[in-house]
Amino acid sequence: MKKVIVFSLSALLLSSCVSNKKFTKQGGELDALKELHGKNLSDLAHAQRELIACQSALKTAEGSLDYLRSQNDQLVNNIGDMTMLTAKGATNLEKSLEKINEQDLRIKTLNQAMNRKDSVTIALVTSIKGALGNLYDDDITVKVEKGVVFVSISDKFLFKSGSYAINANAKSVLGKVATILSSKPWLDVMVEGHTDNVPFNRGELQDNWDLSVKRSTSLVRILQNDFKIAPERITAAGRAEFVPIMDNGSKEGRAANRRTRIVIMPKLDQFFGMIEDEMKKK
């Protein structure tokens, strides 16, 4: 009986000892699981934060991508517009260059025509001065202004005071000028009468206008009738005292202002004909 009781007690103590060890082991495993669970929760929280950050970054990236796509589309459109503008600009530039070239050609042509006219004018002045010879003095001047030749003859050489009848010795001068004009039918002639500012009223002449015109027509008639200059080439003009070359306040000034000018100029149609000729050579 005692043996049975001792055995039972030993078995009970042994069983209790085994259960405690198992419990202790399981408690350790539980603690490990709790620690692992805590770590897993921490990792999960970290992963969730990273997920949120990634989602935010993705959203930002998607916004940037949309913006870049929009900018790209706009750039493509702008490139298309620029291509059109560039094409239009090139066309406009080409047209502008063509106009500039045309203008440059016209300018060159005009310059060449003017140079030709100037050459003719210089030759004409040389011819007139050569023809006048010793007669070319203070009473007769020949000069060029703006491409026009002026032969200015003082009234004391041509007329008596207050008269519009040509002196006999003056006809020889007119004859020399007329000879040159006859050889150059492409030139037009205008005869201008000029007076000083002293009021004039005598006979049929009412004032300096009448006197200047009468003196002009006197020369025109001699050029036409005596020297056979075609009348359609000649213009008679009276300027009275209104285009002085010196001050009328002095005797010398008034004497210089009393003059008759023979203005020799190229016919406009002849001048433009020279321009057309130059254009045809281009």
Side-chain angles (χ1 to χ4, degrees), residues 176-224:
K176 294 177 184 300
V177 175
T179 299
I180 295 172
L181 294 177
S182 296
S183 66
K184 295 174 173 51
W186 44 271
L187 294 173
D188 278 340
V189 185
M190 181 168 64
V191 180
E192 291 182 345
H194 296 262
T195 69
D196 57 26
N197 66 343
V198 177
F200 182 85
N201 186 340
R202 183 183 302 171
E204 63 178 358
L205 303 178
Q206 299 181 26
D207 50 26
N208 283 323
W209 278 114
D210 276 353
L211 179 60
S212 64
V213 171
K214 283 289 187 180
R215 286 180 168 178
S216 172
T217 54
S218 293
L219 263 72
V220 166
R221 289 190 182 95
I222 289 175
L223 291 174
Q224 176 186 349

Side-chain angles (χ1 to χ4, degrees), residues 19-33:
S19 297
N20 286 336
K21 289 181 179 179
K22 185 177 181 180
F23 178 78
T24 301
K25 182 181 178 182
Q26 290 177 342
E29 292 176 350
L30 178 62
D31 290 338
L33 289 173

Side-chain angles (χ1 to χ4, degrees), residues 77-114:
N77 292 333
N78 289 340
I79 291 173
D81 293 340
M82 286 298 294
T83 302
M84 293 179 62
L85 289 174
T86 302
K88 290 181 180 178
T91 302
N92 292 335
L93 179 60
E94 185 177 357
K95 290 181 179 179
S96 297
L97 289 174
E98 288 178 357
K99 290 181 179 179
I100 291 173
N101 290 334
E102 290 175 0
Q103 292 294 331
D104 185 56
L105 178 60
R106 289 192 183 97
I107 291 171
K108 288 181 179 179
T109 301
L110 285 172
N111 285 335
Q112 290 170 350
M114 290 298 295

Side-chain angles (χ1 to χ4, degrees), residues 254-274:
R254 288 191 297 273
N257 291 333
R258 295 190 299 269
R259 68 202 187 279
T260 299
R261 291 201 310 181
I262 300 174
V263 184
I264 305 171
M265 49 199 165
K267 294 181 180 181
L268 288 179
D269 56 345
Q270 295 286 342
F271 176 66
F272 288 118
M274 284 193 290

